[in-house]
Amino acid sequence: MATLYQLHSSMDKLRRSTEQMAQTWRAGDSIILLGATAAFIDWLNAYLEDNDIDRIASIYALADDVAQLGDHTNAKLNLNTKLTAVLSDTEWVTLTQDPQFDKVVTIAL
């Protein structure tokens, strides 16, 4: 079984959020980035590495959140190569109920 981490963090709290996630991380867990957190994906990847969080099954973001970043920001971030998928709200709800996940943990510091 795996955990789905819902990560909602501002840039100034992102390091602390990944430290919290590292305490219970297991190989094969997944992450969904909520709010503007997708804009910090490069920093997130660095912090994940710093905290020995590896073997991530998937990293997702919500379509509405990605759209709010704007086309220019999306192009610069190259999110389509860094995210497993961009989910609609309905797909997100379905994902949180997927039996592959034995728990869904929200980290919002």
Side-chain angles (χ1 to χ4, degrees), residues 5-6 9 17 22 24 27 34 36 40 46 55-56 65 67 82 85 96 98 106:
Y5 289 91
Q6 300 178 127
S9 184
S17 294
T24 56
L34 303 176
F40 315 127
R55 297 184 291 185
I56 300 167
D65 295 340
K82 297 173 184 172
T96 63
D98 189 311
T106 303

Side-chain angles (χ1 to χ4, degrees), residues 25-43:
W25 183 264
R26 297 177 298 189
D29 287 348
S30 295
I31 304 168
I32 183 163
L33 307 175
L34 303 176
T37 310
F40 315 127
I41 188 127
D42 293 324
W43 286 98

Side-chain angles (χ1 to χ4, degrees), residues 11-56:
M11 182 59 212
D12 63 327
K13 296 184 178 163
L14 188 59
R15 180 181 294 277
R16 197 166 109 215
S17 294
T18 56
E19 289 168 354
Q20 290 293 314
M21 195 169 26
Q23 293 178 22
T24 56
W25 183 264
R26 297 177 298 189
D29 287 348
S30 295
I31 304 168
I32 183 163
L33 307 175
L34 303 176
T37 310
F40 315 127
I41 188 127
D42 293 324
W43 286 98
L44 172 67
N45 285 326
Y47 294 152
L48 293 173
E49 189 174 309
D50 287 350
N51 285 287
D52 296 322
I53 295 174
D54 58 3
R55 297 184 291 185
I56 300 167

Side-chain angles (χ1 to χ4, degrees), residues 30-31 41 56-61 79-87:
S30 295
I31 304 168
I41 188 127
I56 300 167
S58 301
I59 299 179
Y60 305 99
L79 290 176
N80 60 337
T81 64
K82 297 173 184 172
L83 297 171
T84 305
V86 177
L87 306 175

